[in-house]
Amino acid sequence: MNASAPLTAADFKSDLKPIWCPGCGDYSVLQALAKALAELGRPREDIALVSGIGCSSRLPAYTNVYGFHGVHGRALAVAAGLKLARPDLTVLAAGGDGDGLSIGGNHFLHACRRNVDMTYLLMDNQVYGMTKGQASPTTAPDWCESKLTPRGTGVSPVMPLHLALAAGVNFFARGFAGNPNELARLILAGIIHPGFSVIHVLSPCVTFRPEQREWKKAVHAADAEPASVPAEAFARFAADDGFTTGILFAGDRTPFMPSRGGTTSVATIAQGFAA
Amino acid sequence: MDADHLWQIVPTDEATDGFVAPFSAPIGNAVDSFSLAVIGSGGAGAMRVGEILLEVAAKAGFHGLMTRAMGPQIRGGEAAALLRIATTPVSSLDDHFDLLIALDWANFNRFAAELPLAPDSVVLADPAEGAVPETIVASGARICPVPFKHLAGTVKGGRTNMVGLGVAASLIGLPAALVASVLAAQLGRKGEAVLISSTAALTLGVEAAAGLPRPPRLAAADLDGAARWNISGNQATGLGALQGGVRFVAAYPITPATEVLEWLAPALEKTGGVLVQAEDELAAINMTIGASFAGTPALTATSGPGLALMVEALGLAVASETPLVVVDVMRGGPSTGIPTKSEQSDLNIALYGLHGDAPHLVLAPNTIIDCLRTTQWAVALAETLQVPAIVLSDQALGQSRAIVAPPDAEPTLAPRLTAPAGAADYHRYALTESGISPMAIPGTPGTAYVADGLEHDPRGAPSAQAGDHVAQLDKRARKLATFDYGDLWADIEGEGETAILVWGSATGPAREAAQRARERGLTVRLVSLRLLLPAQPARLAAALRGVGRVLVVEQSQGRQFHKFLRSYYDLPSEVAVLARPGPLPIRPAEILARLGVWE
């Protein structure tokens, strides 16, 4: 590769054909991510993408950066360990609403608290797609199309923005797979913003939630600059309809990164046991 | 007053530092080993007495070890310091205590079973603390009153445990000057006033000892001038991790493993590593995987309940071929079990807990200081073989301290095999002959790949093909099965037709029993397995050549070790099993008695 030629989105995609259904929102997310990484300008070997389990979590294999496809719900933990060991790398995590907010909900909460410098693509289609159509934590309580919960879940959905704000998230943006260019901009902004950045992507599932084709009518851009103080954000987004797009919150918390630079030898440490 | 006593109170102007000088002529033969216990309620300071005595013994050139028994309270719980001081290395508590110092009898029944006494034991108790418990009286030990509380009360700020310390140090024969200097070092932080009152109370204890019956005299230490370490199993585990190259630890606290993590936190900071507190064990093990994938040798430590949570991620480490070490400091199980007591009942989950066919390493230290070498070896093996290693320590090793000679430097294994930059057509999971394929480290150009828990082809692309599954399963099995683990796999000691097969903390008492058996003319071989998985059938067959009968010793009600041996190994036709659960430690006499059945 010519080091001086600008990188393009194609430079960040692998040749593996995705398993996603035609029309899946995740194709756009892949494109937006590749575009954002091209804009970022770092070589692909300095980027790591970690995922869990689900359709969304197949993302790393379709890129050509370093990737880790872990187990269900644990991507944020793997990514945190990765970044803490290698602060020099650009670290991203990706996964769906089930992976991130159900089994992974605890790690999501603590990732927002901890504020390690990494970017999380939360690809939300309000369903478990890979296991063929169960309700997820973001599914409305009266959705009755799942064989597992034929009368609907009857359970209040998680609101990722509010959950994240309550946990102290430092950057929260919402994008829509139907607007990949804007999504690329949001992803890049999240990567550049220091600390834990959540990119909540509304990414329709064409197979199990065909009604989500109406999302393109529901999304609307935020009409203000990002909130920067949690109290202000709580007030502004108290009644958010979940379709507001743009950078919604951008704070200035210091990223979590223990200081390194200790140079004591292990032999010196061992001497401490001498009687 | 016991007419046999030979202590003389030396007039102040002839004594060193105003204390009673050590003893003169002994009665009878000196013993090589002396066991004492100090018990008291929370705040009485029994543990502090034990810690000081152990450090003094170390400085005086003795060997020894100290275990402890604690109540379940967070603060102020009753505690017992259980010590054995000897002229040669010891790796087990003895069958009974020569001396019991009871500062009070708070909740004594909790400890009763862990304080076996014999008729020639000496018990020192404070008459002000009430009646001596029935079990003590029934042991036939000599019970002598010592007014700890009254004596402490005569000194401003005096504490009963310091009086006890003075009595104990005198009766053992530990040099007074050393006691004073260790006292100053350990209490110095508490200020001048505390040191003065402690020293005064100590003196009262020394003087009180003069009128007491003598327990067996401890022979002089071999003052070879050799260095001694005073270290706990959990500390040794942490140091072994550091020496093995670990520079990332993710931590979630759990009894009795927390101390490993708390020791590592400042040590990692000093040596340029990092420790992060995770939100749960699931996060801890996955963070460890992430750090290792990124190129940093990584470790976490937990106990049985935590290991149960980590099992899924260990399978991920196997499938993705990510090196890491998990230390399980075992405690009483199952489930929440007995957090503060030891047991060897996590063998099953360590061996068999991963779903699928998931070859991995299981190792077990067998003494307190062996925690260092075994953990270090586990890190090296995990890195070389790109696989997770479970290290089965336990509460008995982890929370006990030993006086040991500083360990020799360990030979190191080859480090992680990595892929060079720009390796043409890089296949992460290439089917190499050894099964070990170069692991590209993020940041390396030209070798980016996706590590995967999904089954994959040699490139790492997900695959459900039969050929790929068989090839990768075989690769992951082959890399462990064909590796030469060398002589560390087990400790093999002695000759004979009778062998003891043992692992972990049961090794110490087994070693002692074997030694006593040999002294009585029974030749006994001891085989203590340090590497549990992968099994080494050829090596055990060689170790058991000529052995006609085997005694398996383990601290597990379900005979987990025996069943493991039967699964993986051929054993001689005559096999006896001494298996019982925690919380009580296996004693040498029990093992000797079982061996004796065969004589």
Side-chain angles (χ1 to χ4, degrees):
Chain A
M1 187 172 78
N2 185 344
S4 62
L7 300 165
T8 69
D11 293 323
F12 288 89
K13 292 191 199 169
S14 76
D15 54 14
L16 213 59
K17 184 175 180 324
I19 53 132
W20 300 323
C21 309
C24 174
D26 293 351
Y27 284 101
S28 295
V29 180
L30 172 63
Q31 178 63 21
L33 172 64
K35 191 161 190 282
L37 293 178
E39 283 288 313
L40 182 66
R42 295 199 75 182
R44 60 189 182 95
E45 62 265 12
D46 291 341
I47 301 166
L49 174 60
V50 180
S51 67
I53 299 291
C55 295
S56 315
S57 288
R58 291 301 193 106
L59 193 62
Y62 312 137
T63 71
N64 59 10
V65 302
Y66 278 92
F68 197 98
H69 187 206
V71 292
H72 198 28
R74 314 295 169 206
L76 288 174
V78 175
L82 208 169
K83 178 69 179 184
L84 289 173
R86 294 289 302 281
D88 59 302
L89 301 172
T90 293
V91 177
L92 300 109
D97 39 299
D99 183 82
L101 298 171
S102 206
I103 184 170
N106 195 41
H107 302 310
F108 180 70
L109 187 158
H110 291 277
C112 293
R113 291 179 62 218
R114 194 176 288 114
N115 202 36
V116 170
D117 182 21
M118 54 192 198
T119 305
Y120 180 41
L121 306 179
L122 177 57
M123 297 150 74
D124 188 357
N125 57 8
Q126 298 177 7
V127 77
Y128 281 81
M130 181 145 283
T131 44
K132 309 214 185 334
Q134 294 76 40
S136 86
T138 51
T139 305
D142 57 356
W143 182 68
C144 297
E145 305 304 309
S146 164
K147 296 193 193 78
L148 203 54
T149 54
R151 302 187 208 284
T153 65
V155 179
S156 294
V158 170
M159 300 196 291
L161 169 62
H162 299 77
L163 186 61
L165 283 172
V169 76
N170 196 51
F171 182 99
F172 192 104
R174 188 181 287 130
F176 175 48
N179 294 334
N181 288 335
E182 192 216 13
L183 182 57
R185 182 181 70 79
L186 297 174
I187 293 172
L188 182 62
I191 292 172
I192 291 170
H193 197 86
F196 184 60
S197 301
V198 177
I199 317 297
H200 180 209
V201 185
L202 301 169
S203 180
C205 175
V206 64
T207 299
F208 296 108
R209 303 299 310 264
E211 66 274 25
Q212 288 172 354
R213 76 172 76 80
E214 302 303 308
W215 277 2
K216 59 179 178 288
K217 297 182 196 148
V219 292
H220 55 94
D223 57 7
E225 289 300 297
S228 60
V229 172
E232 175 204 344
F234 279 119
R236 191 194 300 183
F237 297 115
D240 181 59
D241 64 1
F243 289 98
T244 314
T245 59
I247 300 174
L248 305 182
F249 185 86
D252 60 3
R253 290 178 58 199
T254 307
F256 178 88
M257 181 54 71
S259 62
R260 294 257 217 328
T263 53
T264 309
S265 71
V266 177
T268 302
I269 305 262
Q271 275 313 300
F273 293 111
Chain B
M1 190 178 272
D2 185 342
D4 283 340
H5 89 86
L6 294 164
W7 291 93
Q8 298 189 351
I9 299 177
V10 180
T12 312
D13 56 3
E14 288 178 23
T16 310
D17 299 327
F19 297 139
V20 174
F23 47 101
S24 53
I27 301 176
N29 294 326
V31 294
D32 293 322
S33 159
F34 185 86
S35 294
L36 80 147
V38 184
I39 67 173
S41 57
M47 294 306 306
R48 174 69 74 187
V49 175
E51 286 159 10
I52 293 173
L53 286 173
L54 193 74
E55 182 71 1
V56 171
K59 284 174 152 43
F62 290 104
H63 296 266
L65 59 87
M66 179 174 82
T67 71
R68 61 188 209 199
M70 314 261 290
Q73 302 88 328
I74 304 304
R75 299 193 67 178
E78 59 282 357
L82 312 173
L83 287 93
R84 184 176 187 189
I85 297 172
T87 56
T88 53
V90 285
S91 52
S92 163
L93 286 178
D94 209 334
D95 297 318
H96 67 267
F97 291 91
D98 300 303
L99 174 65
L100 167 62
I101 295 180
L103 302 174
D104 57 61
W105 297 113
N107 279 309
F108 172 76
N109 289 332
R110 279 220 179 94
F111 299 125
E114 292 178 69
L115 296 170
L117 298 166
D120 63 358
S121 303
V122 172
V123 175
L124 307 179
D126 194 336
E129 293 298 326
V132 176
E134 193 45 49
T135 49
I136 302 239
V137 176
S139 72
R142 288 176 287 171
I143 303 171
C144 303
V146 178
F148 294 112
K149 200 164 178 178
H150 167 75
L151 288 169
T154 65
V155 170
K156 177 163 182 274
R159 304 190 63 218
T160 57
N161 69 333
M162 289 296 112
V163 178
L165 175 63
V167 173
S170 278
L171 292 180
I172 299 170
L174 295 174
L178 270 180
V179 180
S181 78
V182 171
L183 189 66
Q186 293 214 4
L187 296 186
R189 263 181 298 119
K190 301 198 176 198
E192 191 63 25
V194 169
L195 194 52
I196 289 172
S197 60
S198 297
T199 306
L202 177 75
T203 308
L204 289 175
V206 169
E207 290 169 358
L212 295 173
R214 294 293 320 289
R217 183 180 70 85
L218 186 62
D222 180 9
L223 290 168
D224 52 8
R228 295 273 189 268
W229 276 14
N230 179 346
I231 190 169
S232 75
N234 280 345
Q235 290 171 330
T237 300
L239 183 59
L242 277 190
Q243 286 187 189
V246 166
R247 292 296 181 272
F248 179 91
V249 168
Y252 192 74
I254 182 170
T255 305
T258 307
E259 291 151 7
V260 177
L261 305 164
E262 288 183 335
W263 185 87
L264 278 167
L268 278 166
E269 189 176 312
K270 290 192 183 109
T271 52
V274 64
L275 180 142
V276 58
Q277 179 171 336
E279 56 268 30
D280 55 30
E281 286 93 343
L282 303 167
I285 187 66
N286 280 281
M287 286 177 177
T288 303
I289 287 175
S292 178
F293 168 75
T296 302
L299 173 147
T300 187
T302 186
S303 193
L307 182 62
L309 291 174
M310 295 183 183
V311 159
E312 183 199 29
L314 292 176
L316 173 63
V318 170
S320 61
E321 301 198 48
T322 307
L324 65 87
V325 173
V326 179
V327 178
D328 174 5
V329 186
M330 296 183 292
R331 68 199 218 175
S335 188
T336 313
I338 310 178
T340 54
K341 297 296 186 195
S342 203
E343 199 167 72
Q344 293 187 301
S345 52
D346 290 351
L347 185 59
N348 280 354
I349 186 172
L351 297 170
Y352 312 120
L354 281 59
H355 71 271
D357 284 310
H360 58 284
L361 298 168
V362 180
L363 298 94
N366 58 22
T367 65
I368 291 165
I369 191 57
D370 195 50
C371 290
L372 192 163
R373 155 200 280 177
T374 301
T375 304
Q376 182 174 349
W377 193 37
V379 175
L381 287 174
E383 288 286 312
T384 299
L385 297 168
Q386 299 174 21
V387 75
I390 302 172
V391 175
L392 293 175
S393 175
D394 65 25
Q395 185 273 335
L397 299 178
Q399 293 190 323
S400 298
R401 307 196 64 82
I403 304 169
V404 292
D408 297 325
E410 289 299 319
T412 50
L413 290 173
R416 190 188 292 196
L417 180 65
T418 55
D425 201 25
Y426 172 64
H427 287 187
R428 166 67 183 102
Y429 301 111
L431 302 174
T432 61
E433 190 186 337
S434 68
I436 303 170
S437 49
M439 181 177 180
I441 304 304
T444 308
T447 50
Y449 74 101
V450 180
D452 214 322
L454 277 174
E455 190 58 282
H456 39 262
D457 67 16
R459 286 180 305 147
S463 169
Q465 300 298 311
D468 287 325
H469 189 40
V470 168
Q472 292 294 319
L473 282 172
D474 181 65
K475 173 191 196 289
R476 296 188 291 255
R478 177 168 83 247
K479 71 178 177 179
L480 296 191
T482 60
F483 186 78
D484 181 358
Y485 295 92
D487 293 334
L488 279 183
W489 81 280
D491 290 343
I492 303 163
E493 297 154 10
E495 297 295 333
E497 293 174 359
T498 304
I500 304 175
L501 269 178
V502 72
W503 72 285
S505 61
T507 303
R511 237 176 214 141
E512 176 115 4
Q515 185 53 39
R516 293 188 204 168
R518 290 181 200 114
E519 285 161 11
R520 295 178 202 189
L522 170 65
T523 54
V524 176
R525 175 172 295 191
L526 179 118
V527 179
S528 171
L529 272 60
R530 180 175 291 105
L531 181 71
L532 293 158
L533 271 192
Q536 306 290 304
R539 290 185 191 264
L540 187 67
L544 292 181
R545 202 154 290 141
V547 170
R549 56 194 189 192
V550 155
L551 173 64
V552 176
V553 177
E554 60 173 311
Q555 200 182 25
S556 146
Q557 194 244 25
R559 303 186 166 200
Q560 294 185 15
F561 184 53
H562 179 223
K563 290 171 181 165
F564 157 74
L565 290 169
R566 289 191 57 183
S567 292
Y568 284 91
Y569 293 100
D570 293 328
L571 297 176
S573 53
E574 201 173 346
V575 176
V577 181
L578 173 58
R580 60 170 180 71
L584 301 178
I586 299 176
R587 304 259 176 202
E590 292 178 73
I591 300 172
L592 196 59
R594 186 57 195 78
L595 287 173
V597 167
W598 274 327
E599 286 310 293

